[in-house]
Amino acid sequence: MIANIVQLAAGEEQNPLLPPGPELLVGLIAFAVVFFFFAKKLLPNINKVLEERREAIEGGMEKADAAKIEAESVLEQYKAQLAEARHEAARMRQEANEQGTAIIQEMKAEGQRQREEIIAAGHAQIEADRKSAAAALRQDVGTLATELAGKLVGESLEDVARQSRTIDRFLDDLEEKAEAAR
């Protein structure tokens, strides 16, 4: 090598950009061997790895798209179920309001019926009390009138049948005068 350098330095001048012929030939052969090795061994492995990555990415994107579509479908189902639940709740509230109104109407009707029964019973009791009081008053008035008449006449008016007829006639006359005055 030193000899070559010396010979080159002593000899003709060579272009520094062009390598000598044998060196160029060895370089081309080495390049061809390296190129062939890369083309046959490394390049297929590199392409295989790149293809696997591309498929994994595309598969991941397809899975993501499928998951997105499924999520949208589930969201739509959820929204539909939520709308149905709201509709059902509104319907149940409406039914409850209607039932409440019906119960209130029934209670009012029952209260009105009980009120009318109580009023009718009160009127019947008042009428019975009035008749009882009238009968008691008639008897007391008759007894007092008989005693008074007996004192005025000076004789005893003990005949019960005659006494009863006289009292009844007197009271009937009083009732007729009271009704005529109205």
Side-chain angles (χ1 to χ4, degrees), residues 22-166:
E23 204 175 296
L24 185 60
L25 184 62
V26 171
L28 282 175
I29 292 172
F31 178 75
V33 169
V34 171
F35 181 76
F36 181 75
F37 175 74
F38 276 132
K40 292 294 180 189
K41 295 288 181 187
L42 290 177
L43 194 58
N45 288 338
I46 292 172
N47 284 338
K48 181 180 173 187
V49 168
L50 289 176
E51 184 65 25
E52 288 174 358
R53 283 188 179 176
R54 184 184 62 76
E55 288 176 5
I57 290 171
E58 287 178 357
M61 289 174 65
E62 289 174 0
K63 287 179 183 176
D65 288 342
K68 181 181 176 184
I69 291 170
E70 185 178 348
E72 288 174 355
S73 172
V74 169
L75 179 64
E76 289 300 319
Q77 289 175 353
Y78 170 73
K79 286 181 180 178
Q81 288 175 349
L82 184 61
E84 180 65 28
R86 285 181 180 157
H87 177 69
E88 183 68 19
R91 185 186 61 77
M92 291 174 78
R93 272 194 308 272
Q94 181 64 28
E95 286 179 6
N97 285 339
E98 290 172 359
Q99 288 176 353
T101 303
I103 289 171
I104 289 171
Q105 292 299 328
E106 288 175 13
M107 291 299 172
K108 283 182 179 179
E110 179 66 20
Q112 183 69 22
R113 186 188 61 77
Q114 288 178 356
R115 179 181 155 258
E116 289 173 2
E117 285 178 2
I118 290 170
I119 290 173
H123 286 303
Q125 183 65 36
I126 289 171
E127 184 63 26
D129 288 346
R130 187 189 68 76
K131 286 181 180 178
S132 173
L137 182 62
R138 193 178 272 249
Q139 186 176 1
D140 289 344
V141 167
T143 304
L144 289 175
T146 305
E147 287 177 9
L148 182 61
K151 287 182 183 180
L152 288 176
V153 173
E155 61 181 76
S156 175
L157 299 174
E158 293 291 325
D159 183 15
V160 176
R162 193 171 66 172
Q163 183 182 31
S164 178
R165 283 192 308 267
T166 305

Side-chain angles (χ1 to χ4, degrees), residues 12-23:
E12 41 180 91
E13 252 189 69
Q14 192 173 349
N15 188 356
L17 293 178
L18 289 175
E23 204 175 296

